[in-house]
Amino acid sequence: MSEKSSTHPGAAGRAPAADRPAALRNVVLVGHSGSGKTTLVEALALASGAVNRAGRVEDGGSLSDYDEIEHRQQRSVQLSLVPVDWGGIKINLLDTPGYADFVGELRAGLRAADAALFVVSAADGVAGPTRMVWDECAAVGMPRALVVTHLEAARADFDEMTRRCAVTLGGEDPDAVLPLYLPLYGTPGADGHAPVEGLIGLLSQRVFDYSSGTRSERAPTEDELPLIEAARNRLIEGIIAESEDETLMDRYLAGEEIDVKTLIGDLETAVARGAFHPVLAAAPASDGAKQGLGTVELLELITGGFPTPAEREAPAVTSPDGSPRPSLGCDPEGPLAAEVVKTSSDPYVGRLSLVRVFSGTLRPDETVHVSGHGLTDRGHEDHDVDERVGALSAPFGKQQRPLPQAIAGDLACVAKLTRAETGDTLSGKDGPLLMEPWAMPDPLLPVAIRAHSKADEDKLSQGLARLVAEDPTMRLEHNQDTRQVVLWCMGEAHADVALERLRSRYGVQVDTVDHRVALRETFGGPAAGRGRHVKQSGGHGQFAICEIQVEPLPGGSGIEFVDKVVGGAVPRQFIPSVEKGVRAQAARGIAAGHPLVDIRVTLLDGKSHSVDSSDAAFQTAGGLALREAAAQITVDLLEPVADVSVLVPDEYVGQVLSDLSGRRGRVVGTEQSGAGRTLIRSEVPEIEIGRYAVDLRSLSHGTGRFSRGYLRHEPMPGQLAAKMREQAENGA
């Protein structure tokens, strides 16, 4: 960030190494799909000398998007790590997917990083989901900078995009989002669009020319200086406003020329503590060029302005049993505390765990303690086991480069951790620790699956277990009511990738089926039934008769069984048999095959035989009596109703309310939730929100969020209930 050229040659072919936390920078790239994050990573790798030629997303040759699925879909679907070296500083670049379905990969990147680089397309602007992530970073004080890409687009306007970023992301302080450089435009082409050939440094007042394919520095011409005067004054005022030197503003307003080194020092401090967010411009290198526009400036910002791991607070830790432990420092000599931020499978080396080391030093072949994360509701099991660490490596595209160790603040891939899953803590076996988990959104799109063949059925369970171990935003459910295996995903693209990985990685072919909602049945009124099970076909016969009265109960009451038999009409030893038969029939359902609930069954009378009566006979009679009673009355279908809370920007409230109404939803309240956002609380039948995760995203342009929770079962409308019964009778 000194605005002077850096020419460190890089270290192509071997992994950059850091011997102290101060020589590390962990940066996550954030931005909507298509903003140019992956292309920017390639440009930075080329400029730093890590590669001799930038890869292309289109041909699967990039360092980040090398997975077969990414090549086929032409977009990032997973978190990727690309380490580069600049001026003796190891920079871990974490490239994240921009599509909303893969928010779990984004959050893993945020957990592993100490600063965020927001990539914004000059042609498209700041997307709603990007604003949401910006606010999340602001809430935890994460340092942020912005990079404007796609300056070559016909409608690109750097000045206008910078202004929009300041207004949209700066909030109450737009002067905290200002450019450090202004683009220098060349001669307009036949289409009237002038290419960007260089940058003008606002602080140094120097021109950095990239038109030759290599960065060169020169003094500005007399025509170029007036272009930066207003922007330079505003930048200086913005930096001084964040300075810890309270006299600086008075001196500046009095006309004193502030030393550039002082301004750069204050700028770096403000960026590192998350108080100032510089805007830069970048573009990939042209064919044959070694440095893309703005790449050197960006690398200098990262190494000079972004914080070291030692400057960021580590996550809180406890013992695995929950007892408190002292907070961690970023000390290579301290106790080992690392976290698995991503789990994947490599066809050559097997299972790989991407680990961020927060304290201590992780070494190959040592035994560590693996503490589970408590995501039992998502198909993960808790565990506290010791495991031997395999080889350590640094990913670089499809390659894995060996690492001798990973010190506090660094990231590394660990091979052969068979029990460790995403979110798990690695610590010393003699002093096990458990890290506070990071926030992970709930998967809200259900995808019901079944094995394609008997061979697939044998491998399905293991394949699904591995799949959810890699992705904590996925939840596995074995629904006992509907007898379906359900993968809960973040969206359709997330589901497609999950099913493709099942097929390609684990050799399991599955078919998707319609997701069924767990319905219930109940009596619409009181009814009586007589169960008669009498058979005599030679030898020991069967004889059991019982008479029952059934009446509905309030929702949530379950099944009540009452014995009012007098005179021994049903022997005492067979009364539990009647109850067992009634409950078994209720579990199987009466009208449409759904469990029967919320009734009181009273046993009034019956008959028995001294020889032919038995436990089995009275169980059968109890079930027959319940079925006969149901034939005398309307059996209501009960559907589950969800408590749905939707958080959307104010401009989408009307559309969301209208949509909820069309889903038979009942709005129970709205309230403001921060600036410009409204929380809508409603009750909606679950059968109506199976695809709401997809529909809300479309309705709110990716800016809406919702949560759901089971509320109760209530009667389904008659017309819809009749349709469901018809489907059940036809076997649909």
Side-chain angles (χ1 to χ4, degrees), residues 556-573:
S557 300
I559 296 178
E560 233 180 80
F561 186 84
V562 179
D563 169 25
K564 286 192 177 180
V565 174
V566 295
V570 177
R572 306 309 302 170
Q573 69 269 29

Side-chain angles (χ1 to χ4, degrees), residues 47-67:
S48 68
V51 294
N52 296 319
R53 181 181 62 84
R56 290 169 50 85
V57 176
E58 293 78 6
D59 57 20
S62 75
L63 295 170
S64 300
D65 292 351
Y66 54 85
D67 189 273

Side-chain angles (χ1 to χ4, degrees), residues 485-503:
V485 176
V486 182
L487 272 180
W488 288 84
C489 304
M490 299 302 300
E492 289 179 314
H494 189 209
D496 290 344
V497 169
L499 299 184
E500 175 61 21
R501 282 179 174 161
L502 266 181
R503 183 194 64 79

Side-chain angles (χ1 to χ4, degrees), residues 409-424:
D410 207 353
L411 288 100
C413 283
V414 182
K416 299 179 181 179
L417 287 178
T418 58
R419 292 296 302 277
E421 300 179 0
T422 303
D424 282 1

Side-chain angles (χ1 to χ4, degrees), residues 390-471:
L392 298 184
S393 60
F396 198 75
K398 296 180 181 180
Q399 305 174 19
Q400 291 291 333
R401 298 172 171 178
L403 281 179
Q405 63 181 21
I407 65 168
D410 207 353
L411 288 100
C413 283
V414 182
K416 299 179 181 179
L417 287 178
T418 58
R419 292 296 302 277
E421 300 179 0
T422 303
D424 282 1
T425 303
L426 308 183
S427 55
K429 63 178 183 177
D430 297 326
L433 300 171
L434 182 63
M435 284 193 175
E436 181 181 53
W438 70 82
M440 197 63 70
D442 290 325
L444 296 168
L445 180 69
V447 180
I449 60 173
R450 65 184 176 197
H452 182 70
S453 66
K454 181 64 171 68
D456 294 311
E457 189 174 337
D458 296 337
K459 298 180 290 184
L460 180 60
S461 178
Q462 185 178 18
L464 289 174
R466 291 181 177 179
L467 199 65
V468 297
E470 295 178 7
D471 189 350

Side-chain angles (χ1 to χ4, degrees), residues 358-613:
F358 288 97
S359 173
T361 299
L362 185 64
R363 297 178 175 85
D365 299 322
E366 71 175 331
T367 300
V368 299
H369 186 79
V370 180
S371 299
H373 39 60
L375 293 176
T376 53
D377 62 326
R378 300 195 182 184
H380 302 255
E381 60 180 29
D382 286 338
H383 45 266
D384 281 291
V385 296
D386 288 341
E387 280 204 77
R388 188 180 180 85
V389 172
L392 298 184
S393 60
F396 198 75
K398 296 180 181 180
Q399 305 174 19
Q400 291 291 333
R401 298 172 171 178
L403 281 179
Q405 63 181 21
I407 65 168
D410 207 353
L411 288 100
C413 283
V414 182
K416 299 179 181 179
L417 287 178
T418 58
R419 292 296 302 277
E421 300 179 0
T422 303
D424 282 1
T425 303
L426 308 183
S427 55
K429 63 178 183 177
D430 297 326
L433 300 171
L434 182 63
M435 284 193 175
E436 181 181 53
W438 70 82
M440 197 63 70
D442 290 325
L444 296 168
L445 180 69
V447 180
I449 60 173
R450 65 184 176 197
H452 182 70
S453 66
K454 181 64 171 68
D456 294 311
E457 189 174 337
D458 296 337
K459 298 180 290 184
L460 180 60
S461 178
Q462 185 178 18
L464 289 174
R466 291 181 177 179
L467 199 65
V468 297
E470 295 178 7
D471 189 350
T473 61
M474 189 175 296
R475 177 162 61 90
L476 177 62
E477 175 191 5
H478 295 274
N479 194 300
Q480 300 301 316
D481 292 329
T482 63
R483 296 178 176 83
Q484 285 188 318
V485 176
V486 182
L487 272 180
W488 288 84
C489 304
M490 299 302 300
E492 289 179 314
H494 189 209
D496 290 344
V497 169
L499 299 184
E500 175 61 21
R501 282 179 174 161
L502 266 181
R503 183 194 64 79
S504 60
R505 288 187 182 178
Y506 307 119
V508 183
Q509 186 76 32
V510 298
D511 300 320
T512 58
V513 297
D514 290 339
H515 176 248
R516 296 197 296 268
V517 171
L519 303 179
R520 301 283 187 268
E521 300 173 356
T522 194
F523 275 47
R530 186 172 189 266
R532 185 177 185 275
H533 183 60
V534 178
K535 288 188 178 181
Q536 188 68 46
S537 57
H540 190 69
Q542 299 181 54
F543 188 98
I545 298 175
C546 62
E547 297 180 6
I548 62 173
Q549 177 73 30
V550 184
E551 54 190 314
L553 293 175
S557 300
I559 296 178
E560 233 180 80
F561 186 84
V562 179
D563 169 25
K564 286 192 177 180
V565 174
V566 295
V570 177
R572 306 309 302 170
Q573 69 269 29
F574 294 135
I575 290 176
S577 303
V578 176
E579 180 179 1
K580 190 174 181 180
V582 166
R583 291 186 180 276
Q585 182 62 56
R588 292 192 295 270
I590 297 293
H594 304 292
L596 185 68
V597 296
D598 302 334
I599 57 171
R600 177 184 292 122
V601 179
T602 303
L603 179 60
L604 300 174
D605 201 358
K607 293 182 180 180
S608 65
H609 187 278
S610 59
V611 175
D612 292 339
S613 291

